[in-house]
Amino acid sequence: MVAAAWVWVVVAAVRGLPGVPNLLEARFDVEPEGAPWVTVIVPARDEAANVGECLRTLLDQDYARVRVIAVDDRSNDETGGIMDALAATAPERLRVMHVRELPPGWLGKTHAMAMAARSAIAVDAPEFLLFTDADVMYRRDALRRSVAYAVAGGADHLVTVPTTIIRRWDEAALLGFLQIFGVWGPRPWKVADPKAQRDAVGIGAFNLVRTAVYEAIGGFEAQRMDILEDLTLARRIKGAGLAQRIAFGRGLVSVHWASGVWGIVDVMTKNVFSAFRFHISLVLGACLWVVIFCVAPAGGVVFGPTRVPAAITFAAIGYGYWLFQRTSGISAWNALLAPVSAVVFVFALLRSAVITLWQGGVWWRGTFYSLKELRKNAAPLFGRGGVL
């Protein structure tokens, strides 16, 4: 059953992924029709190591109709100063907002993005808003190609899948597993299908939204305490029957998620329990599923009755790694470490749940958010919608 299930989902990916647009193709190397204005919103807290390069790559875009709003969200380092210095060199294209205090009932990131969006709408009146992160880097033609596809495809919401920068072998091993694990979640080739309500994708590194759509669904004011704000935004847009799109483009948008496997686990500790809307039973169920589908086949290889289906399972997993290698650059050889990475993933799930329950909430970048508030304001959990 496990082997058959893996073959089923990988075959679906083989059939579906070629239909997802690749923005590196020549047909997307054009100016967006109508040349719509885009305002890019970059929230940052203690991102002095990254925010300068992020903003410079945005200011260096070859698409002229781009403005940037950088939000210094109560930083304790030089983030705000770096923003201000860059804004002084390009005052017509970059402006900076400083948050001194966080209002009650808000997460820092959602508050920063909502505040910047209000300013963008009032001052710039752009046709599109792009929500991104302060550690994301952009190739010079990234926005032009993305906006061109969004306009031509009639997208209300576009996700350009970022390329993960890999600096260590253990990062590749865990992120490669998370990538193949994703075939069980939101299906990229179904994102554009309005009937596939379960297949909604949101990625914090690149969420391009029509301004009219953002306003129509209530903006981030409608999800003030949502840790996975990108996922919820995607679900709300697709749930409203609006046009959602996703595209690949290796190297157009790049991000280094975290340093080493333990850095990735630390990031997951903050947000992965919230993906299950803080239900411990769902986390335990997910852990059991991962053990059965991703760890147990490694043991099945050594037993005669299960050797063949276990081999089929690993062949399907390996092919899935190879399939995604073309868009992500993560080597398919990491499939050899899939069972070990699965164990680390289970550890991260349990760690996130235990620490969140033990401390009664989530600490993130110096701010504590109580579990009571997070549960009260959590969006409903349903279907396949997910974060890649």
Side-chain angles (χ1 to χ4, degrees):
M1 290 176 63
V2 170
W6 269 108
V7 170
W8 177 269
V9 297
V10 171
V11 167
V14 169
R15 296 176 61 185
L17 280 175
V20 179
N22 183 346
L23 299 184
L24 297 179
E25 294 177 5
R27 61 191 173 113
F28 299 112
D29 190 13
V30 295
E31 289 293 324
E33 184 179 351
W37 279 98
V38 180
T39 296
V40 185
I41 293 172
V42 186
R45 178 175 169 87
D46 296 336
E47 287 282 2
N50 301 305
V51 70
E53 187 62 23
C54 171
L55 294 177
R56 278 188 283 270
T57 63
L58 286 169
L59 293 174
D60 192 43
Q61 290 297 298
D62 66 7
Y63 182 53
R65 295 201 164 192
V66 175
R67 298 187 182 98
V68 182
I69 299 178
V71 186
D72 170 24
D73 181 23
R74 301 163 294 136
S75 295
N76 297 307
D77 62 5
E78 295 303 314
T79 295
I82 293 170
M83 290 177 173
D84 289 334
L86 281 171
T89 67
E92 295 183 356
R93 290 184 296 150
L94 170 63
R95 66 179 184 273
V96 179
M97 304 179 74
H98 296 275
V99 178
R100 306 302 182 190
E101 294 184 4
L102 181 65
W106 281 92
L107 261 70
K109 185 177 181 181
T110 51
H111 171 256
M113 291 191 294
M115 182 179 71
R118 289 194 298 269
S119 175
I121 293 168
V123 177
D124 303 328
E127 187 170 339
F128 287 94
L129 297 169
L130 172 60
F131 299 97
T132 188
D133 293 326
D135 55 353
V136 179
M137 309 301 162
Y138 288 82
R139 206 173 85 171
R140 196 163 185 265
D141 54 348
L143 292 187
R144 176 171 55 81
R145 289 175 180 264
S146 296
V147 176
Y149 171 56
V151 173
D156 294 312
H157 173 220
L158 169 65
V159 168
T160 297
V161 178
T163 303
T164 303
I165 298 170
I166 302 296
R167 295 176 179 165
R168 293 171 38 160
W169 70 269
D170 52 344
E171 296 172 12
L174 184 52
L175 292 175
F177 173 76
L178 295 179
Q179 183 175 254
I180 189 64
F181 182 72
V183 301
W184 297 94
R187 298 167 293 183
W189 56 93
K190 285 289 187 179
V191 167
D193 183 355
K195 296 180 181 179
Q197 286 291 310
R198 299 177 301 170
D199 295 290
V201 173
I203 300 181
F206 195 103
N207 271 321
L208 182 69
V209 185
R210 287 188 186 272
T211 303
V213 167
Y214 175 83
E215 292 183 288
I217 65 170
F220 284 112
E221 284 82 357
Q223 50 185 94
R224 300 182 179 201
M225 290 288 293
D226 203 315
I227 290 179
L228 294 177
E229 83 294 330
D230 43 10
L231 162 58
T232 302
L233 181 70
R235 285 175 168 169
R236 290 169 58 218
I237 290 173
K238 191 154 192 182
L242 300 166
Q244 191 170 90
R245 301 288 186 268
I246 188 170
F248 294 123
R250 184 173 169 183
L252 288 178
V253 182
S254 302
V255 61
H256 180 234
W257 203 21
S259 181
V261 66
W262 296 115
I264 297 172
V265 169
D266 280 340
V267 172
M268 294 176 67
T269 298
K270 182 268 297 187
N271 60 25
V272 74
F273 193 25
S274 67
F276 296 90
R277 292 313 186 233
F278 308 105
H279 294 295
I280 187 64
S281 59
L282 295 179
V283 171
L284 294 176
C287 291
L288 179 61
W289 186 95
V290 173
V291 170
I292 293 173
F293 277 75
C294 305
V295 180
V301 172
V302 302
F303 295 104
T306 57
R307 187 170 296 147
V308 172
I312 293 173
T313 297
F314 281 115
I317 291 173
Y319 193 82
Y321 270 79
W322 176 83
L323 190 65
F324 280 99
Q325 174 182 292
R326 292 181 293 177
T327 56
S328 71
I330 297 177
S331 172
W333 287 106
N334 287 287
L336 297 174
L337 295 173
V340 177
S341 299
V343 172
V344 175
F345 181 57
V346 168
F347 169 75
L349 290 177
L350 294 174
R351 184 175 189 258
S352 177
V354 169
I355 290 179
T356 302
L357 292 171
W358 175 72
Q359 63 189 14
V362 173
W363 278 101
W364 187 243
R365 294 188 179 274
T367 302
F368 181 75
Y369 306 103
S370 75
L371 187 56
K372 181 179 179 180
E373 276 193 295
L374 293 172
R375 278 177 166 160
K376 179 181 177 181
N377 294 280
L381 178 70
F382 66 92
R384 288 179 179 267
V387 177
L388 295 180

